[in-house]
Amino acid sequence: KNGGVPVSVGMVREDSMETQIKMSKADWQRIRDVEAFAVSFEPVGGSTTGKPTGPVMYQGKCLDFI
C-alpha cells in the first residue's frame, strides 16, 4: 500500500518481553494493509532519519484480529 516504504508505529523497550502499541485511527489506516512487519534496533529515542538505521531483529506477518 505504501510502496514498500517503512512506517514507524512506535518503539519497544529492549528489556520487555511484551509490548503493546496503541495506535491512532490514522496510524492504523496507514498500516492496515501491510503484509509484514519488522523490528529494527535503533538508538535511544529512535531513528533520527525517519527510516530504520539499525539491523532487523525480528520480522513476521501481520494478522488482523479485529
Side-chain angles (χ1 to χ4, degrees):
K1 180 178 177 178
N2 64 343
V5 176
V7 176
S8 175
V9 294
M11 298 189 315
V12 297
R13 291 178 51 122
E14 183 177 6
D15 60 352
S16 177
M17 293 298 292
E18 179 179 312
T19 298
Q20 294 182 10
I21 298 173
K22 293 184 181 184
M23 286 187 267
S24 68
K25 187 174 182 177
D27 283 342
W28 176 245
Q29 294 294 323
R30 287 179 23 213
I31 68 160
R32 69 181 182 164
D33 294 328
V34 300
E35 296 181 11
F37 74 93
V39 177
S40 60
F41 187 80
E42 302 296 335
V44 174
S47 169
T48 58
T49 67
K51 299 177 182 177
T53 60
V56 172
M57 308 302 286
Y58 305 99
Q59 59 187 10
K61 292 183 178 185
C62 293
L63 303 173
D64 186 356
F65 292 103
I66 297 174

